[in-house]
Amino acid sequence: MSVVHLTDIEQLMEQVVAYHPEADTSLIRRAYEYSVKAHEGQMRQAGGPYVEHPLAVAGILSFLKLDVQAIAAGLLHDTLEDTVATREELEKKFGEDVARLVEGVTKIGQIPFKTYEEKQAENFRKMVLSMADDIRVVFIKLADRLHNMQTLEALSDEKRQKIAQETKEIYAPLANRLGMSWIKQELEDLCFQYLQPEACSLLKLRLAKRDDERQAYIQSLIQIAQGVLSEAGLPGIIDGRPKHLFSIYQKMERRSVSFDEIYDLTAIRIVTDSKMNCYAVLGLIHSIWPPVPGRFKDYVATPRSNLYQSLHTTVVGPQGEYVEFQIRTADMHRINEYGVAAHWLYKETGKSKGRDEEVFSWLRQFVEWHKDLSDNRQFMDSVKLDLFHDVVFVFTPKGEVREVPVGSTPLDLAYAIHTEIGDHCVGAKINGKLVPLRYQLHSGDMAEILTSPSQVPHRGWLKFVRTSRAKTKIKHWFKVEEQKRALELGRRLLEQEFRRQHLPVAQSLSSERLVSMAKVKGCETVDELIRLVGFGRLAPDQVVGPFKEEHNLPSSTPAQSGLSVPYLKAPAQIQGEAVKFGGIKNILMQLSKCCKPIPGEAIRGYITRGRGLTIHGVDCPNFKSLEWDHNRLVEVEWDGEVEGPYAVDVSVLTLDRPGVLAKVSSGISRCQANITKAEISTREDQKAVLDFGIEVKNTAHLEMILQEIQRVDGIISAKRVRGWH
């Protein structure tokens, strides 16, 4: 399907009146005249007056049979960005509805962005979120992009590549998600032309050579099918639809086959009068030609989320060639071509009514899932993930059909149903059998989600969930928990500091002085200030200092306060990110220098005076001397996601032989460990001591290194040494 480009306003109004006889064409004419005047003197890079572009966009919208407000907005869609027109003026002349649509479509070129990608992400975010208010904004944007792609030849090669790549990644999948298949196909073919010109030209040439032969073959099949339908008394309009270029290319790439091995280059479409007759026609087709196993899809019983409905079957036709048949009703066909636009019945408010409201629950959910992402680039990546997916259909115990992307797990399904179900998911039964949460769902699976009130999300879930919704909700849970834990730790650190400075704890924590200090530090609440302390971004004595001055207390010496800005940047703190307090990370902490603990060893945390957490091994003598102060001890654990490196010292006793240092160093390197220092000293008894500083991942890695060293000929012992004192 292709759009006939309109050349003047009269053609546009005739096309609108053809599907909407009572349309207010005067609004369209006034919008056109305003656009001509506003863009006067502006030229397109392809040549010709600029107004040709908004006229073409309006023509595409009329082809979609949209209302006059949307078409008027199409004519005006660039006026706010490229001319002196204002929103107030548009609202006064054309009404609030048209002005809102134009504003929704307008690009945000006035805002200075650091990079093109940042601008692209923010622009796309605005467009996607506008779907929740009025889907016509996206229709206009897609029409705008389609005409721009059709006239891309006039731009430089660099710009063509950039625009085509963006169209391929965002706009074509979006058109597909909205069920607008003809726009999606045309956009994909245009992108293919500019992004892979050689492959596109070669494919066009090969198709042209086989075209006459293919047409004759398809016509013979249509005649046979038409005859069988007539004999059975089944109504049906049959035609052949050549598959678009990019889909053929994708099939060649996906199957790793040559063009000559692709047989189903054309799909035969049969449009009948009822859903029941769709299945009757299917039976007749299978009675003529045998179906290819595994190539039947029933999108009538389980429609795609973009509203698509059809029966698809591939049969073995004459001469052994594969042929695809698509069987649908006229209603289904209309929706398959126009997608969301076919269902969106506009009234004055631009909203849908009745059963159409239910049709777009997925669209509202789509917007809802992504609106909470604050980072534009993260938002764009997340939406791309959800736009680019094939789907599987699974059933709930109540018989409801749920659609999830290919590769989804029971956890993805749980979060798709409700956040609480996802957070408390402990397992799943698929077709009555218990499966691990990593299990990948398949179409037809009966999925039952098992929950427990005591279950909470695990960071490991992020490694295998597929959907952006599940990932976002899991990350949000940890973010909330981190805030809670940081508040708890920050409060304890401040309490310790207030006591050390001989200040009243409860009175100080609830004082107006603390409220004022929060504002000075850029915090909206006292809790936010306390969380900064818990996260290690603010030193406790920086908060307590002003209270000392208020009570005329002497300042502590630097040695007493024990915390300075340079400390916050100490390397030991960076290693502390591998440790979690109450399940959270990024809190001010350091690995102790006396025992240098590494993952695999039991550890405890000790709240030092004003310096956050210090992490010790539980067998560290220095830690044992601190155990009496129970108020400062906290439970901590290693973060399994972080793999060092961690510094350890190793001492090797060996016979004093030539080349032994090189052999030991080589053994350490074979274990993929980095050597940070190496010292050798000889003894009078013909033995030598090799002292190494090594970076390891965990205790298992260290043990492997020690065993490798001991395999070297002449080694007497190899052991880890610590700086206990």
Side-chain angles (χ1 to χ4, degrees), residues 652-655 687 710 714-718:
V652 180
L653 180 62
T654 176
L655 298 176
K687 294 184 178 66
Q710 288 171 342
I715 298 299
I716 299 171
S717 67

Side-chain angles (χ1 to χ4, degrees), residues 131 135 138-139 142 170-181 184 188 303-308 338-341 359-367 369-370 383-391 393 403-405 467:
M131 291 195 296
I135 194 69
V138 182
F139 295 158
L142 284 172
I170 298 298
Y171 292 95
L174 184 59
N176 181 58
R177 194 74 168 126
L178 296 173
M180 305 167 83
S181 61
K184 173 244 187 188
E188 284 183 340
R304 290 174 177 168
S305 62
N306 64 1
L307 316 178
Y308 184 91
Y338 297 102
V340 172
V359 171
F360 298 103
S361 60
W362 72 267
L363 182 58
R364 289 191 299 274
Q365 189 177 57
F366 178 77
V367 174
W369 287 359
H370 300 88
V383 172
K384 281 182 187 179
L385 180 67
D386 283 348
L387 286 177
F388 273 115
H389 71 256
D390 293 320
V391 297
F393 298 97
E403 177 186 317
V404 291
T467 59

Side-chain angles (χ1 to χ4, degrees), residues 359-578:
V359 171
F360 298 103
S361 60
W362 72 267
L363 182 58
R364 289 191 299 274
Q365 189 177 57
F366 178 77
V367 174
E368 183 70 24
W369 287 359
H370 300 88
K371 73 177 185 182
D372 292 332
L373 295 176
S374 57
D375 180 76
N376 288 324
R377 296 297 295 277
Q378 182 187 3
F379 173 88
M380 198 164 185
D381 291 342
S382 174
V383 172
K384 281 182 187 179
L385 180 67
D386 283 348
L387 286 177
F388 273 115
H389 71 256
D390 293 320
V391 297
V392 296
F393 298 97
V394 296
F395 297 90
T396 68
K398 294 182 180 179
E400 298 173 350
V401 179
R402 290 277 179 170
E403 177 186 317
V404 291
V406 168
S408 292
T409 65
L411 261 180
D412 291 290
L413 178 61
Y415 276 106
I417 296 170
H418 197 280
T419 302
E420 287 292 316
I421 294 176
D423 286 347
H424 300 300
C425 178
V426 292
K429 284 186 178 180
I430 303 297
N431 304 320
K433 296 181 180 179
L434 283 171
V435 297
L437 290 178
R438 291 176 176 269
Y439 172 87
Q440 292 193 357
L441 298 168
H442 301 90
S443 282
D445 279 347
M446 176 70 75
E448 179 184 356
I449 304 299
L450 307 177
T451 62
S452 168
S454 61
Q455 175 68 301
V456 294
H458 295 277
R459 288 194 182 274
W461 289 0
L462 291 169
K463 296 179 180 179
F464 60 81
V465 291
R466 168 70 173 79
T467 59
S468 60
R469 173 177 173 81
K471 290 179 180 177
T472 300
K473 292 301 180 182
I474 293 168
K475 289 176 181 176
H476 177 71
W477 188 90
F478 279 104
K479 184 177 180 180
V480 171
E481 287 300 304
E482 285 178 2
Q483 297 287 335
K484 291 179 184 176
R485 300 293 187 180
L487 182 63
E488 177 185 341
L489 178 59
R491 191 177 296 278
R492 291 178 67 175
L493 289 172
L494 286 178
E495 287 175 356
Q496 294 288 342
E497 186 66 12
F498 278 124
R499 289 193 185 98
R500 194 173 68 83
Q501 299 294 349
H502 307 291
L503 293 168
V505 176
Q507 182 181 342
S508 299
L509 286 173
S510 60
S511 69
E512 286 298 318
R513 178 71 174 172
L514 202 59
V515 175
S516 301
M517 188 178 300
K519 292 178 181 178
V520 170
K521 297 293 184 182
C523 302
E524 294 184 4
T525 64
V526 170
D527 282 354
E528 189 176 335
L529 178 72
I530 296 174
R531 278 194 290 268
L532 287 181
V533 176
F535 279 123
R537 296 166 192 158
L538 190 64
D541 62 349
Q542 289 179 283
V543 176
V544 176
F547 285 84
K548 293 184 295 185
E549 296 168 8
E550 189 175 287
H551 288 78
N552 296 317
L553 293 175
S555 297
S556 300
T557 64
Q560 287 176 311
S561 65
L563 181 64
S564 62
V565 175
Y567 170 80
L568 293 173
K569 299 179 181 178
Q573 183 201 346
I574 297 173
Q575 287 190 316
E577 291 177 0

Side-chain angles (χ1 to χ4, degrees), residues 247-294:
S247 69
I248 296 172
Y249 177 76
Q250 278 185 310
K251 188 171 290 187
M252 291 166 60
E253 290 289 299
R254 189 168 57 247
R255 298 180 185 175
S256 299
V257 297
S258 67
F259 175 76
D260 293 327
E261 296 174 274
I262 298 291
Y263 297 107
D264 49 346
L265 298 175
T266 306
I268 296 179
R269 180 189 296 134
I270 301 177
V271 179
T272 188
D273 64 341
S274 68
K275 185 186 294 187
M276 184 181 296
N277 280 342
C278 285
Y279 293 99
V281 170
L282 176 71
L284 280 177
I285 296 301
H286 285 175
S287 70
I288 308 171
W289 301 291
V292 177

Side-chain angles (χ1 to χ4, degrees), residues 51-234:
V51 76
E52 289 178 357
H53 171 62
L55 182 61
V57 170
I60 295 171
L61 297 173
S62 69
F63 188 75
L64 291 171
K65 298 181 172 59
L66 294 189
D67 60 6
V68 292
Q69 284 80 13
I71 292 168
L75 288 166
L76 300 165
H77 76 274
D78 276 338
T79 55
L80 288 183
E81 180 187 9
D82 296 336
T83 77
V84 295
T86 64
R87 189 198 191 282
E88 292 72 21
E89 187 178 2
L90 292 183
E91 185 173 346
K92 183 178 179 181
K93 289 181 177 292
F94 306 104
E96 196 275 336
D97 198 23
V98 173
R100 179 169 46 80
L101 288 173
V102 174
E103 185 178 47
V105 175
T106 298
K107 300 169 188 172
I108 46 178
Q110 299 92 334
I111 302 176
F113 291 99
K114 294 178 182 177
T115 64
Y116 169 80
E117 289 75 17
E118 187 181 345
K119 178 177 180 178
Q120 178 198 50
E122 174 60 32
N123 191 27
F124 180 67
R125 180 188 184 90
K126 181 180 179 184
M127 182 184 69
V128 170
L129 295 184
S130 71
M131 291 195 296
D133 298 323
D134 199 324
I135 194 69
R136 291 176 294 179
V137 169
V138 182
F139 295 158
I140 299 169
K141 188 62 183 173
L142 284 172
D144 176 43
R145 179 52 61 112
L146 177 57
H147 186 248
N148 282 335
M149 285 297 300
Q150 291 167 341
T151 55
L152 206 57
E153 190 64 42
L155 301 183
S156 66
D157 184 61
E158 182 182 356
K159 287 186 176 179
R160 286 200 300 263
Q161 291 282 320
K162 187 179 289 185
I163 294 171
Q165 189 65 39
E166 180 186 57
T167 302
K168 180 184 176 183
E169 291 181 359
I170 298 298
Y171 292 95
L174 184 59
N176 181 58
R177 194 74 168 126
L178 296 173
M180 305 167 83
S181 61
W182 69 272
I183 291 183
K184 173 244 187 188
Q185 291 170 7
E186 189 160 351
L187 287 175
E188 284 183 340
D189 281 352
L190 288 165
C191 292
F192 185 34
Q193 175 183 329
Y194 290 109
L195 294 175
Q196 296 167 283
E198 292 182 7
C200 182
S201 298
L202 184 60
L203 191 55
K204 280 182 179 178
L205 185 62
R206 290 181 170 180
L207 279 172
K209 287 181 179 179
R210 290 177 56 178
D211 190 54
D212 292 342
E213 180 186 333
R214 292 296 306 167
Q215 288 300 325
Y217 182 79
I218 292 299
Q219 285 305 314
S220 67
L221 293 180
I222 290 175
Q223 288 177 7
I224 296 171
Q226 194 73 67
V228 173
L229 259 64
S230 297
E231 287 179 17
L234 289 173

